[in-house]
Amino acid sequence: MVLGNSLSIVNASKYYKKFKAVDDVNLTVNQGEFLTILGPSGSGKTSLLKLIAGFEQLSNGSIILNDEDISKQKPYERQIGMLFQNYALFPHMTVFDNIAYPLRLRKTPKDEIKQKVESILKLVHLEQYGYRYPEQLSGGQQQRVALARAIVFNPPLLLLDEPLGALDKQLRKQMQLEIKHIQKQVGITTVSVTHDQEEALTMSDKICIMNHGRIEQIDTPENIYKHPKNRFVAEFIGEINLIKGSVVNVSEENVKVKFHDSLIADIERKKDSVKEMKDQSILIALRPENIQVAREQSHFQNTIRAQIIEIIYVGEAVNIKTVTETGEEITAKIPAHISDLPGRGKDILLGWNPKDASLIHDGTPLHYY
Ligand code: ADP
Ligand code: MG
């Protein structure tokens, strides 16, 4: 089966008076893909989702769903499934009737409704709950009913806006996996919005990082984490050390970076590294878990000496906060089972390998939150 692009957003902008809430966004979600829009509060996530749903009109651009331009369609004409934080089940209707609601709206025959609702109740593991009322269900169960109601009529697209925001952390983690499994099983193209990076990393095939109405990067969770394209993405996802430096040489494999006045680091040259990097100011981006404690200089291609200022146990790992001679702070995260660590105030040699770091252009405009 040849599957076309399911959802394309083309040059989409939304202005509220002169304020650009969504600023020239382009993105494509393939058939069956789970895309998460992630960004700080106010970055335009909900606005973008409302444009897709049809609750807001585009100021510019278009939205294409399965080769059809839906930009001018009313929300109900788009036939999109939606699941929001306040799941808004009808309290006076049973679980069965809640899920049957969109089918009744569409004048689906009675026996087909019964068959569809029963089969979707099975999918969300609530076979026995059809005759209960929402108030007789836990938060997680209610959210599963809301999900069932959102997809029971086979919509071409599912939109989620902070769907797990009302649940506590434990349940949220469980529901993340559950929704993802159901989404994959049904194969429905999904766009989700969250400000929770862990949720985005867990659930998505692709993540779209938004900031000030613009897209900073669209990529797989792995690439977003390992190869952030700019400083905003690097700092928004996970913990990261950013060490200022300048490029002194670019070879086929590695980039030589001078940092801390006189030290040299070899950083693997990723495919998309810019050719003309020489003499540019850059940042070496280094995740704490990619830095190790070096017993000897020769064990790592890159090392730096630093003083320990704090050691924090975080269960399975230890965060070692250090400061270098030039006053830069570097945090390393090492497995907790590593013993004989020097204590606070002591010097330590930190090491990392070329492939464990990436380079980011310095001077990326810094507009935070
Ligand atoms: P997010 O969901 O990422 O938190 P929103 O899309 O809700 O962000 O909002 C993006 C920006 O657009 C915010 O600065 C918000 O104040 C503004 N905004 C959203 N809706 C409206 C509106 N109806 N009128 C004016 N400004 C709005
Ligand atoms: Mg929002």
Side-chain angles (χ1 to χ4, degrees), residues 39-47 49-50 85 161-162 193-195:
S41 177
S43 57
K45 307 181 296 293
T46 296
S47 298
L49 212 67
K50 282 181 177 166
Q85 181 172 330
D161 192 355
E162 309 267 1
V193 154
T194 185
H195 65 274

Side-chain angles (χ1 to χ4, degrees), residues 331-349:
T331 299
K333 184 176 189 174
I334 64 164
H337 61 77
I338 292 182
S339 53
D340 69 335
L341 268 180
R344 198 163 145 177
K346 291 281 183 336
D347 271 0
I348 194 171
L349 190 63

Side-chain angles (χ1 to χ4, degrees), residues 14-17 19-22 37-50 56 161-162 193-195 210 212-213:
K14 176 66 187 176
Y15 312 136
Y16 295 110
K17 301 225 171 84
F19 179 75
K20 287 187 189 175
V22 176
I37 301 168
L38 177 68
S41 177
S43 57
K45 307 181 296 293
T46 296
S47 298
L48 183 56
L49 212 67
K50 282 181 177 166
E56 293 282 0
D161 192 355
E162 309 267 1
V193 154
T194 185
H195 65 274
M210 273 189 91
H212 287 273

Side-chain angles (χ1 to χ4, degrees), residues 169-200:
K169 195 172 176 200
Q170 195 72 20
L171 188 55
R172 211 157 61 212
K173 282 192 150 176
Q174 196 183 319
M175 284 295 293
Q176 285 166 7
L177 291 177
E178 200 150 333
I179 291 181
K180 185 184 157 140
H181 291 156
I182 293 168
Q183 184 267 341
K184 281 284 166 263
Q185 221 168 325
V186 179
I188 187 170
T189 310
T190 303
V191 178
S192 180
V193 154
T194 185
H195 65 274
D196 179 341
Q197 49 161 300
E198 204 181 288
E199 187 169 309

Side-chain angles (χ1 to χ4, degrees), residues 13-17 29 41 84 108 132-133 138 151 164 239 271 287-288 294 329-330 351 356-357:
S13 294
K14 176 66 187 176
Y15 312 136
Y16 295 110
K17 301 225 171 84
V29 192
S41 177
F84 296 146
T108 310
R132 289 215 194 174
Y133 286 87
S138 71
I151 59 179
L164 306 175
E239 300 285 317
K271 265 187 233 126
R287 298 282 178 198
E329 285 193 14
I330 298 180
D356 294 329

